[in-house]
Amino acid sequence: MRIDTGEKKKAEAQILASGKKREVPFAPGELPAEVENPLLAAVDVGSTTVVAYLMDGTTGEELAVKSRMNPQRQYGADVVMRGSYALEKGASVLSSCIREAVDSLLKEAAEDCGRSAREIVKVSMVGNSCMHHLFLEIPVDSLVVAPYEPKVREALRLTASECGLASCPHAEVLWLANIGGFVGADTTGCILASGIAEQESLTLLVDIGTNGEMVLGNREGLLSCSTAAGPAFEGAKITCGMRGSEGAIDRVWIEKGRPAYHVIGGGEAKGICGSGLLDAAACFLKLGIIDEGGRMEEDWHFTDEVYLNQRDIRELQLAKAAICAGIRLLCAQRGAEPAQISRVQLAGAFGNYLNPSSACAIGMFPKELEGRIRSIGNAAGEGAKLAVRNQEEYEKSGRLAAETEFVELALKPEFQEVFVDELAFPE
């Protein structure tokens, strides 16, 4: 057993707040006349991190960004564990801690600008279906057990006081719509920000986290699915795994016939994060340290304390197979081949830092997609900002969510076969 008691100097995790921007006219709709200098806010409630954006209510200018780790992590590393916790012990502690975190971020953002959070008149919010339900204290039983569907899909308009946001009790809260299963309002935000629904060519949008959400399509229609990638990409369940913060090995390459590595912050390695894990596996394959089946003869040590072992490689295989199986089955549903996808847009923090060549080398993405993969940053957060800055974009997000077809991979008889095929590394 290894116990981390914490450090006196707290290492800051890399939390991605920015994303590819799509310019829209500033038209937030009617705002309360009694607030002379109104503020707007957007919040991305992620499974791992929470990001809040504060904007000027008269110009739309971004004034502040605040982020922190999601406090719900102490009740489960992924949404399934948290949902199970809510069923067994009640959801109130999960709901109250995330509401307090969001409320605190809005208050801090306003104070950073010398303003009061009570001047916030409208807040748009995104998050996956489980985060959405837990924040709003909606029972999660239908998500955790069959039929694995959200109880509420439609977009919601609420007051901040109803959502436990004491710092701006009179603000209007806009929750974007859920799509289906664990494909929630965060994916709706990604669709809105990415412009995938307006593309002529076939585009794949992937948000890789504990739960991998994917959208495939163009202006002729969109298909979506989620696949349980597991927390390996965020360093969990990896022996020396950690998040992308100071001390993490985040890049690995081959130098003089051996794996060389980079450590965030430049100091001594304390562990390895998701992007480093992908790079390491790609290098191990090339050097013959692991074979196509993922078998390794002995642990590989970067330092005396930081290493990868057989179990770590197996965790990675499960995660990468889930992603690739989802892509292949979405393509099959669309009647297309992976080679017909003209671009891949990676949303989220992990997608921002991973090396696309490594992802293709280990088979997380079909080899045909190499060279077509681009990061678009925190697209969910950008979508939330679009929705609060422009009333028509908020309404459009609801239509996009309703028109996006959700594919439940677990119900497809071929899923298990494709998943098992994708466990092996490419030859």
Side-chain angles (χ1 to χ4, degrees), residues 208-219:
I208 306 172
T210 309
N211 213 48
E213 291 95 10
M214 287 170 257
V215 180
L216 177 69
N218 53 16
R219 62 190 184 190

Side-chain angles (χ1 to χ4, degrees), residues 231-243 272-274:
F233 295 136
E234 294 172 344
K237 290 192 176 182
I238 303 302
T239 308
C240 298
M242 62 183 289
R243 284 192 49 77
I272 186 165
C273 66

Side-chain angles (χ1 to χ4, degrees), residues 171-226:
E172 181 181 31
V173 174
L174 309 176
W175 259 99
L176 272 62
N178 293 318
I179 294 172
F182 286 102
V183 182
D186 53 349
T187 303
T188 300
C190 288
I191 293 171
L192 189 66
S194 68
I196 185 175
E198 284 81 46
Q199 300 289 338
E200 184 175 347
S201 55
L202 193 61
T203 301
L204 175 67
L205 172 64
V206 187
D207 188 350
I208 306 172
T210 309
N211 213 48
E213 291 95 10
M214 287 170 257
V215 180
L216 177 69
N218 53 16
R219 62 190 184 190
E220 294 176 11
L222 302 175
L223 294 171
S224 69
C225 73
S226 67

